């Protein structure tokens, strides 16, 4: 029988953690699922995301319970295809994740990271429920690092790119030609322009624009330059 590295490190004194029929094993796996998902959920809650602490904990604990149920069914009927339960969790969590994805009034898709986080939390629950404690703990730490540290690194890379994705509010539709001419004069190529229908009743002409500068520019300074144009009501970079 293969044992988890943590169990092996402590020797036979912890072999009971691999026994799914032991009530303490069940309790420890559920509590570990709560802990791992809770740490991730707190980080999401602090950022006011759609799925927070309770959602992550419920997803992870539910997945852990399903995995323990699979192990129990296999013990009682080795010929059963109980592993299918875990597979259904991995695919089924997509319905919950889809509910966190939305398109904002600025034509931006939000919630993809939250949806991916829920899927990952379900996978951690399956791992812990299956008794692979080491992988569950390491996986949870990696997920937390991705959610907390990588956004800062990602933002640093974006600020150095020559591409800009802007939300631009113009006073009038006719001002679009003026903006296009201005961008061309400062050697900025327009990759795409999309009119935003969400602002039709506002009296403004609103667009989502993807730009490519022929030279490196400070993003904040560039946005400020656009905002200072007399016919621009508001401009911001989409992140």
């Amino acid at each position: 029988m293969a044992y988890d590295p943590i169990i092996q490190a402590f020797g036979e004194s912890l072999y009971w953690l691999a026994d799914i029929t032991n009530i303490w094993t069940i309790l420890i796996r559920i509590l570990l699922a709560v802990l791992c998902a809770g740490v991730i959920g707190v980080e999401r809650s602090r950022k006011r995301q759609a799925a927070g602490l309770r959602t992550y904990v419920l997803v992870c604990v539910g997945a852990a319970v399903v995995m323990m149920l699979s192990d129990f069914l296999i013990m009682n009927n080795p010929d059963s295809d109980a592993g299918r339960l875990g597979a259904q969790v991995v695919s089924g969590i997509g319905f919950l994740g889809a509910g966190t994805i939305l398109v904002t009034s600025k034509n931006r898709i939000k919630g993809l990271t939250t949806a991916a986080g829920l899927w990952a939390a379900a996978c951690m629950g399956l791992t812990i429920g299956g008794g692979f404690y080491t992988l569950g703990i390491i996986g949870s730490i990696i997920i937390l690092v991705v959610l907390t540290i990588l956004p800062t690194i990602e933002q640093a890379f974006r600020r150095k790119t020559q591409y800009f994705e802007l939300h631009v509010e113009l006073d009038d539709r006719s001002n679009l030609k003026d903006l296009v001419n201005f961008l061309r004069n400062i050697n900025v190529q327009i990759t795409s322009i999309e009119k935003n229908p969400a602002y039709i009743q506002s009296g403004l002409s609103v667009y989502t624009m993807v730009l490519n500068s022929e030279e490196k520019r400070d993003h904040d300074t560039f946005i400020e330059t656009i905002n200072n144009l007399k016919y621009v009501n508001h401009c911001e970079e989409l992140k």
Side-chain angles (χ1 to χ4, degrees):
M1 181 178 181
Y3 289 98
D4 179 86
I6 292 178
I7 296 177
Q8 293 182 31
F10 287 91
E12 296 184 6
S13 61
L14 286 184
Y15 279 6
W16 57 270
L17 281 174
D19 182 10
I20 191 62
T21 61
N22 189 310
I23 189 172
W24 294 109
T25 298
I26 297 173
L27 183 60
I28 287 175
R29 292 186 186 185
I30 290 179
L31 290 178
L32 185 58
V34 170
L35 177 62
C36 290
V39 173
I40 300 171
V42 167
E43 190 278 336
R44 294 281 85 188
S45 294
R46 290 175 59 187
K47 294 184 178 180
R48 304 288 183 177
Q49 297 300 317
L53 175 61
R54 290 177 297 174
T55 306
Y56 274 85
V57 169
L58 287 172
V59 166
C60 193
V61 170
V65 169
V66 167
M67 200 62 190
M68 286 188 284
L69 173 60
S70 295
D71 288 345
F72 182 77
L73 293 176
I74 291 174
M75 287 178 59
N76 286 276
N77 185 7
D79 296 328
S80 65
D81 188 15
R84 185 180 297 177
L85 289 175
Q88 293 302 315
V89 170
V90 174
S91 59
I93 194 66
F95 290 98
L96 181 60
T100 68
I101 301 173
L102 55 90
V103 179
T104 68
S105 60
K106 297 176 182 178
N107 282 347
R108 293 290 290 175
I109 298 176
K110 296 190 64 176
L112 287 176
T113 301
T114 299
L118 287 173
W119 181 83
C123 292
M124 291 306 97
L126 292 174
T127 302
I128 295 170
F132 204 166
Y133 305 101
T134 304
L135 179 60
I137 294 173
I138 293 176
S140 298
I141 293 173
I142 296 299
I143 293 172
L144 186 61
V145 168
V146 169
L147 293 175
T148 56
I149 298 178
L150 286 193
T152 303
I153 299 175
E154 186 178 25
Q155 189 61 32
F157 277 115
R158 284 183 176 179
R159 288 185 176 276
K160 295 180 180 179
T161 65
Q162 295 172 252
Y163 286 89
F164 298 81
E165 187 172 3
L166 307 181
H167 169 81
V168 183
E169 300 176 5
L170 303 177
D171 292 332
D172 189 80
R173 182 179 180 181
S174 60
N175 297 138
L176 178 61
K177 182 178 180 180
D178 297 326
L179 178 59
V180 169
N181 290 332
F182 171 80
L183 293 172
R184 287 175 177 170
N185 289 334
I186 60 174
N187 297 320
V188 175
Q189 298 177 353
I190 302 173
T191 303
S192 68
I193 301 178
E194 183 179 352
K195 187 175 179 62
N196 194 325
Y199 292 82
I200 292 179
Q201 303 299 326
S202 67
L204 298 172
S205 187
V206 182
Y207 301 89
T208 298
M209 308 179 70
V210 178
L211 310 177
N212 180 19
S213 175
E214 295 182 5
E215 57 186 75
K216 289 187 178 180
R217 303 172 186 270
D218 179 76
H219 284 220
D220 291 337
T221 302
F222 181 71
I223 299 301
E224 184 179 358
T225 300
I226 300 296
N227 271 313
N228 286 335
L229 297 174
K230 62 181 181 180
Y231 48 80
V232 175
N233 183 70
H234 176 70
C235 175
E236 65 180 272
E237 185 173 11
L238 298 174
K239 303 176 182 179

